């Protein structure tokens, strides 16, 4: 079977299984978005605390590194005896794996804000909270958002492994197709995930670029002050 024949067979599989695709794609998006939202809600505050407190940093950074080095499938498998199978354990596993890029970028973004800018803000009578909210976070936001972007795209690929604990998603086609030696099914699942990753990366890149432009303008204004 030639490449063109495989592509035609893949397209035919899409068309004839469209309703199933919509359900699997929707579940994949849910897995990514829910786990990513929880990771952002946890990693950003802890990243800010770690950047401002060395004691917290010594605890948080190693935990994030450990979470990233454990294989994703192992994390998801560990959820099985604790939470069983389905959507919730898959989200927990994906959330753990999504933490590190957001955490490290948050710490780096806060720590890399120009000290002269911070000193200038302190000289104007700002409190530490005001400096964080009005100076450090706006300037660090593009870096933080870069971590969110990386984490989100990685999670699109990682979410395929949710198949192994019956959480659905595009892994039902991609991984299930491997087990069935069904090439059109494999490619249909893979192409859909790749398209999702590219779309999310493009959208987040636009937002990141906008944040970078706003940050540059804010830094120029602060320097002028």
């Amino acid at each position: 079977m030639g490449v063109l024949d495989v592509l035609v067979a893949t397209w035919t599989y899409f068309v004839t299984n469209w309703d199933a695709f919509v359900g699997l794609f929707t579940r994949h998006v849910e897995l990514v978005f829910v786990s990513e939202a929880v990771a952002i809600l946890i990693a950003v505050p802890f990243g800010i605390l770690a950047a401002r407190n060395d004691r917290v940093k010594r605890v948080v950074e190693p935990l994030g590194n450990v979470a990233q080095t454990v294989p994703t499938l192992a994390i998801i498998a560990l959820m099985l005896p604790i939470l069983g199978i389905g959507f919730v354990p898959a989200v927990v596993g994906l959330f753990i794996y999504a933490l590190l890029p957001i955490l490290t970028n948050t710490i780096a973004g806060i720590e890399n804000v120009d000290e002269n800018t911070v000193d200038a803000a302190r000289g104007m009578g700002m409190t530490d909270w005001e400096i964080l909210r009005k100076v450090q976070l706006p300037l660090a936001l593009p870096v933080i958002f870069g971590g969110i972007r990386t984490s989100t795209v990685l999670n699109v690929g990682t979410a395929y492994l949710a198949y192994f604990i019956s959480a659905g998603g595009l892994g039902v086609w991609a991984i299930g197709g491997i087990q069935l030696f069904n090439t059109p099914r494999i490619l249909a699942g893979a192409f859909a995930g790749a398209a999702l990753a590219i779309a999310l990366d493009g959208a987040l890149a636009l937002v990141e670029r906008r944040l970078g432009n706003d940050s540059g303008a804010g830094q120029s204004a602060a320097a002028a002050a």
Side-chain angles (χ1 to χ4, degrees), residues 44-171:
V44 171
F46 273 97
I48 293 171
L49 284 175
R52 297 168 64 86
N53 188 309
D54 288 337
R55 185 176 300 176
V56 175
K57 184 177 180 179
R58 285 196 296 270
V59 174
V60 168
E61 276 195 327
L63 288 176
N65 289 328
V66 168
Q68 189 73 17
T69 55
V70 177
T72 314
L73 188 56
I75 293 177
I76 292 178
L78 286 172
M79 297 299 108
L80 187 61
I82 300 171
L83 298 174
I85 63 175
F87 184 79
V88 173
V91 165
V92 173
L94 293 172
F95 148 74
I96 292 172
Y97 200 71
L99 283 173
L100 185 62
I102 305 172
L103 182 66
T104 54
N105 274 44
T106 300
I107 295 172
I110 296 295
E111 289 183 339
N112 290 337
V113 173
D114 189 0
E115 282 296 326
N116 293 328
T117 303
V118 176
D119 291 341
R122 188 171 286 113
M124 294 170 61
M126 287 187 181
T127 64
D128 286 345
W129 167 247
E130 288 175 329
I131 291 173
L132 174 66
R133 183 169 58 89
K134 297 181 179 180
V135 178
Q136 290 176 309
L137 276 180
L139 294 177
L141 199 56
V143 179
I144 297 172
F145 206 88
I148 294 172
R149 176 183 170 188
T150 301
S151 179
T152 300
V153 173
L154 287 174
N155 243 7
V156 172
T158 307
Y160 280 94
L161 300 178
Y163 163 80
F164 289 108
I165 53 174
S166 302
L170 294 171

Side-chain angles (χ1 to χ4, degrees), residues 1-9:
M1 182 180 290
V3 174
L4 184 59
D5 292 331
V6 171
L7 293 177
V8 170

